[in-house]
Amino acid sequence: MRDTLAAGALALAALLAGLRWGVMVAGGADSYGYLSQADLWRRGSLVVHQDVVRPTPWPDAAETWTPLGYRPSPQARDAIVPIYPPGLPLLMAAAQAVAGFCGAFVVVPLCGALTIWLTFLLGRRLFDSPAIALVGAALVASSPVFLYQLMNAMSDVPVTAFWTLALVLAVRRRPFTSGLAMTVAIAIRPNLAPLALPLLVWIAASSAAPPGPYRSAGRFAVGVSPAVVGIAWLNAVLYESPLTTGYGTADGLYSIGYVATNVANYAKWIGDVETPIVALALVYIAVPRIFPPPRLPAARLLLGGTIAVTLLSYVFYRPFDVWWYLRFLLPMWPAMMLATAAAIDTVVARSLGWRNERPGRSMNASAHAIVMASIATLIGWHGVHVAASRGVFDLRRTERRYIDVARFVADHTEPNAVVLSHQHSGSLRYYAGRLTLRFDVLDPVWLDRAFTYLESIGRRPYLVLDGGEVEAFRRRFAGASRAGGLDAPPLAALNGVVFVYDPLQRAAAGSPLAIASTRGSRALLACDAPHSLPPDRRMK
């Protein structure tokens, strides 16, 4: 009972942390892409038409008018469609139907709480020692990458929650509902569909009792089938092929040449933020002889299969160079942390004198519980400390820049202005209602002519550059354009990080205006509404 209450407290703490420190802004590519797609689902169409595309004279016009999170529609030159899978946007749309626009930002914290609770339930089913389930849940809850993603409106925590739900339902002998949970996980992250294979094998291997292995596996497959059919159909509708995703074809995303870089990155990042203690998970799975047998048969197949398939899904994937891209591997975190906890539990039990029986039966249970709790507390403190040192609990404040810059642009530019941008190409549309043009896609020799063309159709151009984009803009355009050197001072600046330029104001105009930096509401569920709801069907 105490373990159950403690696990519930951990789940509640995760929910409250996500609501208190979570980012409630549609800012970069992911959050803008998911939030705006949720709006489109509620509107009833995933296609946004842009009248400005067809008369645009420069090359790759459709791509330049496409914000982050979207791609030009292959079926209409003047339209854009989302690149992200539908699972998370549909969950957000459902939450908005219940709690209004801000309800979308509750989905990830709720899924975070669900992940912790389900990790505990999975541990209780797999292992005899009750401490393993609680310690495993605590290790997930205090993981820096889990906490980082708990604060962001992205798909990593939700897909982890529904995959873990599929595992829990499977070990409870409910193969059909396990398949339905897997359907949601695939809808959120389709490239993790191979995770269904180890679960299907485990269901078949462990279903000796009626209805038998074949019928149980069949029920699971029936539960999974809506995701396979639905994703293939949506890909065909949006991208003209069931096998083409919003990201493109697989050969453009995966390569055997990426393996060495990814293995080195993931190993280093896991060691840095989770400490090498999680290597015990591999020992537990690979060397079963030195550990007590788990409660359920073939539990190592379930845990090891989850870890192996998740790793294989991403070691061939295009590499990134920031630690929080460990988020790709988050679906294996519950399995990895439970295996780690099981190994720790055995070490503690043997150090306290246990030899021939399962821990907790013929040993000092209180001493065992105290030592396990102490280890979990120490590792948990380390995880929260690492998360804090890496800015996890500052994300809500730093991501406010998307709102602050958008509000400034809305107040200081003409309604029909065009803003050249990259990182803010979605948020400026969402919160300022301004059409955006991707400078990183525009041919460098066309910059001056693009400004002239925009003036000729009554649209004044502006620039919004975030951080390193200032130098990136200069490198791209300075040699081919008079305006590319950004010689004139910016019109406005936000904390020396984001800059707004008026390229038609060439003469020096003094110090830039200071964009007000706001903190937003301290309420648990408060966010800024977009410029237009429902979203425009057509960007003019």
Side-chain angles (χ1 to χ4, degrees):
M1 184 64 179
R2 289 180 180 177
D3 292 342
T4 302
L5 291 175
L10 283 173
L12 179 61
L15 173 63
L16 295 177
L19 294 176
R20 171 62 182 84
W21 289 290
V23 177
M24 297 199 177
V25 174
D30 293 87
S31 55
Y32 166 71
Y34 291 124
L35 264 294
S36 59
Q37 188 186 151
D39 296 338
L40 296 177
W41 278 108
R42 296 188 69 196
R43 191 194 72 180
S45 173
L46 296 180
V47 180
V48 178
H49 291 276
Q50 303 190 111
D51 293 340
V52 73
V53 172
R54 289 189 180 276
T56 297
W58 52 79
D60 299 321
E63 287 77 9
T64 62
W65 291 108
T66 301
L68 294 175
Y70 286 78
R71 58 175 284 180
S73 170
Q75 299 173 337
R77 180 170 177 262
D78 62 345
I80 57 175
V81 293
I83 68 172
Y84 293 117
L88 179 57
L90 284 170
L91 292 175
M92 289 178 165
Q96 288 175 329
V98 174
F101 172 76
C102 294
F105 295 104
V106 181
V107 172
V108 172
L110 278 175
C111 287
L114 184 63
T115 297
I116 294 167
W117 179 247
L118 291 170
T119 301
F120 173 74
L121 294 183
L122 181 63
R124 291 294 296 267
R125 283 280 175 169
L126 293 181
F127 302 102
D128 284 314
S129 173
I132 294 175
L134 183 58
V135 171
L139 295 182
V140 172
S142 59
S143 165
V145 68
F146 175 81
L147 291 171
Y148 191 96
Q149 293 310 122
L150 182 68
M151 307 304 170
N152 288 284
M154 295 165 66
S155 64
D156 308 278
V157 171
V159 73
T160 303
F162 280 94
W163 165 243
T164 312
L165 177 61
L167 290 175
V168 170
L169 291 170
V171 300
R172 290 192 170 191
R173 310 301 183 189
R174 297 176 182 177
F176 176 68
T177 51
S178 175
L180 292 180
M182 190 73 226
T183 281
V184 180
I186 294 172
I188 296 171
R189 188 79 65 79
N191 69 311
L192 288 179
L195 275 175
L197 182 59
L199 192 50
L200 180 65
V201 171
W202 184 87
I203 288 172
S206 62
S207 299
Y214 297 110
R215 294 186 67 179
S216 294
R219 290 175 180 177
F220 175 77
V222 169
V224 172
S225 61
V228 178
V229 174
I231 294 296
W233 170 81
L234 188 63
N235 286 345
V237 169
L238 294 181
Y239 317 122
E240 295 190 320
S241 169
L243 301 180
T244 300
T245 70
Y247 301 102
T249 56
D251 58 354
L253 297 172
Y254 295 89
S255 170
I256 194 170
Y258 297 150
V259 172
T261 299
N262 280 325
V263 169
N265 283 344
Y266 291 143
K268 180 181 183 301
W269 294 335
I270 290 176
D272 285 347
V273 302
E274 303 297 344
T275 77
I277 197 169
V278 295
L280 289 174
L282 298 181
V283 177
Y284 178 82
I285 292 167
V287 194
R289 283 186 173 185
I290 64 175
F291 298 98
R295 174 185 293 177
L296 288 185
R300 284 183 175 81
L301 171 63
L302 207 56
L303 299 178
T306 296
I307 294 171
V309 172
T310 305
L311 285 171
L312 287 172
S313 296
Y314 283 105
V315 293
F316 297 97
Y317 193 70
R318 184 180 59 202
F320 294 87
D321 59 359
V322 185
W323 73 273
W324 44 262
Y325 277 99
L326 273 177
R327 66 188 181 87
F328 290 154
L329 307 183
L330 205 57
M332 77 181 199
W333 249 233
M336 182 176 72
M337 295 309 185
L338 284 172
T340 300
I344 293 173
D345 184 80
T346 298
V347 172
V348 170
R350 289 182 176 175
S351 68
L352 293 175
W354 167 69
R355 289 291 182 273
N356 300 313
E357 298 180 42
R358 298 181 188 275
R361 290 187 177 179
S362 63
M363 56 178 278
N364 190 324
S366 296
H368 177 266
I370 291 171
V371 174
M372 289 292 287
S374 300
I375 293 173
T377 301
L378 182 62
I379 298 174
W381 176 88
H382 173 269
V384 174
H385 176 74
V386 169
S389 68
R390 297 189 180 216
V392 168
F393 302 105
D394 295 325
L395 288 170
R396 186 170 192 158
R397 176 181 55 81
T398 58
E399 296 294 285
R400 286 290 303 177
R401 71 185 191 278
Y402 294 103
I403 297 288
D404 297 335
V405 171
R407 298 306 186 211
F408 177 89
V409 169
D411 292 340
H412 292 82
T413 67
E414 302 79 4
N416 64 343
V418 170
V419 184
L420 280 74
S421 58
H422 172 65
Q423 187 65 21
H424 292 251
S425 59
S427 57
L428 288 169
R429 293 183 176 216
Y430 207 60
Y431 294 111
R434 298 297 186 266
L435 194 61
T436 55
L437 178 71
R438 290 274 298 279
F439 76 80
D440 58 307
V441 182
L442 181 67
D443 189 327
V445 302
W446 270 91
L447 182 63
D448 290 335
R449 283 180 284 175
F451 289 157
T452 301
Y453 171 74
L454 292 173
E455 285 186 271
S456 72
I457 61 173
R459 291 180 175 273
R460 188 179 181 100
Y462 294 87
L463 305 173
V464 169
L465 305 177
D466 191 315
E469 290 180 353
V470 174
E471 287 306 313
F473 187 92
R474 288 190 175 116
R475 287 194 302 270
R476 184 175 182 84
F477 295 107
S481 164
R482 290 182 298 115
L486 299 176
D487 297 324
L491 170 67
L494 175 67
N495 298 330
V497 176
V498 186
F499 301 90
V500 180
Y501 289 87
D502 180 352
L504 302 185
Q505 184 180 312
R506 301 269 168 78
S511 300
L513 299 173
I515 300 175
S517 179
T518 63
R519 296 182 62 88
S521 173
R522 291 182 175 273
L524 285 181
L525 185 57
C527 68
D528 295 79
H531 181 268
S532 174
L533 272 181
D536 296 327
R537 291 174 179 267
R538 185 177 295 272
M539 297 292 291
K540 298 184 178 180

